[in-house]
Amino acid sequence: MIINNYEVLPGKNATLRIPVASLPSGNTVNLFAHVYRSKKPGPTMLVIGGIHGDEINGIEIVRRSVKNGMFKNLRKGSVIAIPLLNIYGFINFSRGFPDGKDVNRSFPGSKKGSLAARIAYTLTHDILPLCDFGLDFHTGGASVYNYPQVRAYRDDEESMKLAEAFNMPLVVKTGLITNSFRKAAHNKGIPIVVFEGGESLRMDEFSINEGLRGIVCVLAAKGMIKSDPPKMDTVVFETSSWLRAHRSGIFVHYKQSGDHVKKGQVLGIITDPYGGPETKVKARNNGIIFGHNNKPVINQGDALFHIGYAK
Ligand SMILES: [Zn+2]
């Protein structure tokens, strides 16, 4: 396996620095890739975090998987672990790049494009062709707390199998977003599932532990480690939608991510700072809350609850 002109032989591990860009100060920006190879041939798994720079739980999950030596004794195959892709967003506490671009809308990228496009290109060009499947770790954006869940492409059997192997309580069937990492990988025949857990810029131990458990489950299912993790019940959702604010004001939520809801149930209220009327926010159908908004001051149309509906 050769990455950035560096060869990692079977039975060897390496930490590689791949130069991707430079800061205005002249410092080089490197992508860190931890590579683990068993002597025995087998599939190559990509584990990646921080495609969105402020989604720290995803970064922390990959960091801990590396730190804990999770991939050091693979029975077969290889693992490439990249804890942080969007280094610019990470140091700026933001989802995207300094020019506002979202790398997850910049794939497959280009060699001479914007910063986001260049980093996307490095991943598409230098890393993806080496991989057979991947796990992409995210965290809820913009004050949204996501209950630990995996998202898989509904029209790809391999993605759905990978989501099943990940063994989260919630699996959401989704489409593929244009220019996303997942779509670029799918176009190369590489199934990727997205893990979502917690809220951006906030550590959430529950989500981090669930993400780590998911990695172990996938490694075990693929025969890459010897482990027999307990199976959890999984609910697979065909559709999901956002319940949005019909007025502006102060939002108080009574229900939160992970809660089951019934049609007509009051999930929270919207009110104003002056003692005015309280407007109820009600569930439109039976389902489970995947994500809830923790932002207390909201505008009309803001997303409040992301709810999944079983078929
Ligand atoms: Zn994200």
Side-chain angles (χ1 to χ4, degrees):
M1 180 186 286
I2 298 172
I3 302 175
N4 192 36
N5 298 322
Y6 189 91
E7 186 171 17
V8 186
L9 295 167
K12 300 286 182 195
N13 304 330
T15 299
L16 308 179
R17 289 177 189 209
I18 306 165
V20 283
S22 63
L23 291 170
S25 57
N27 299 67
T28 303
V29 175
N30 291 306
L31 201 60
F32 277 76
H34 303 272
V35 182
Y36 303 86
R37 299 206 65 198
S38 166
K39 278 188 181 152
K40 207 170 153 196
T44 297
M45 173 170 89
L46 174 66
V47 184
I48 188 164
I51 282 186
H52 292 131
D54 61 351
E55 298 186 358
I56 312 301
N57 291 312
I59 297 166
E60 180 64 7
I61 290 165
V62 183
R63 184 195 75 80
R64 281 195 208 177
S65 71
V66 169
K67 185 73 183 162
N68 296 348
M70 203 181 261
F71 314 121
K72 273 192 171 159
N73 295 303
L74 297 174
R75 295 173 83 200
K76 64 175 183 183
S78 305
V79 171
I80 301 173
I82 300 175
L84 172 59
L85 186 77
N86 179 0
I87 296 147
Y88 286 88
F90 179 73
I91 59 177
N92 284 316
F93 318 105
S94 77
R95 174 184 174 90
F97 277 71
D99 61 1
K101 292 251 167 62
D102 181 339
V103 71
N104 214 16
R105 305 289 180 273
S106 305
F107 281 88
S110 84
K111 205 174 180 177
K112 294 188 173 171
S114 69
L115 279 177
R118 285 171 191 233
I119 288 178
Y121 178 85
T122 302
L123 194 59
T124 310
H125 192 258
D126 297 345
I127 307 288
L128 266 182
L130 305 170
C131 303
D132 295 296
F133 64 95
L135 313 175
D136 177 14
F137 288 89
H138 288 253
T139 302
S143 303
V144 170
Y145 179 96
N146 277 330
Y147 196 81
Q149 59 194 262
V150 283
R151 298 178 180 180
Y153 180 36
R154 63 165 61 87
D155 293 334
D156 177 35
E157 207 181 316
E158 291 304 313
S159 297
M160 290 309 300
K161 275 192 207 160
L162 190 56
E164 193 186 323
F166 204 106
N167 197 219
M168 285 296 110
L170 306 178
V171 174
V172 190
K173 289 187 178 183
T174 65
L176 290 174
I177 298 170
T178 307
N179 298 124
S180 67
F181 169 56
R182 202 151 53 110
K183 183 155 190 181
H186 176 77
N187 290 346
K188 288 180 178 287
I190 303 160
I192 302 275
V193 295
V194 166
F195 170 89
E196 285 276 352
E199 181 179 343
S200 61
L201 295 174
R202 251 179 254 283
M203 295 297 245
D204 183 60
E205 282 298 317
F206 173 54
S207 298
I208 292 165
N209 288 327
E210 281 293 273
L212 289 165
R213 184 177 66 77
I215 298 175
V216 171
C217 289
V218 170
L219 287 170
K222 296 280 182 184
M224 294 168 76
I225 59 166
K226 192 168 165 45
S227 175
D228 192 15
K231 270 268 173 207
M232 286 185 70
D233 288 340
T234 293
V235 187
V236 180
F237 291 91
E238 301 287 336
T239 58
S240 69
S241 66
W242 279 98
L243 196 57
R244 292 181 178 274
H246 44 275
R247 58 171 280 203
S248 304
I250 292 177
F251 170 56
V252 182
H253 63 82
Y254 298 159
K255 291 287 174 185
Q256 61 182 9
S257 299
D259 286 346
H260 289 252
V261 299
K262 286 208 166 346
K263 186 177 178 178
Q265 188 175 7
V266 178
L267 308 182
I269 52 160
I270 303 171
T271 183
D272 63 41
Y274 313 109
E278 296 177 347
T279 309
K280 291 172 180 154
V281 178
K282 291 181 182 173
R284 281 198 293 262
N285 254 312
N286 298 345
I288 296 180
I289 302 175
F290 293 161
H292 70 272
N293 188 350
N294 272 329
K295 196 170 60 166
V297 182
I298 51 149
N299 279 298
Q300 266 178 327
D302 279 359
L304 302 180
F305 296 101
H306 192 191
I307 301 179
Y309 305 105
K311 214 173 191 179

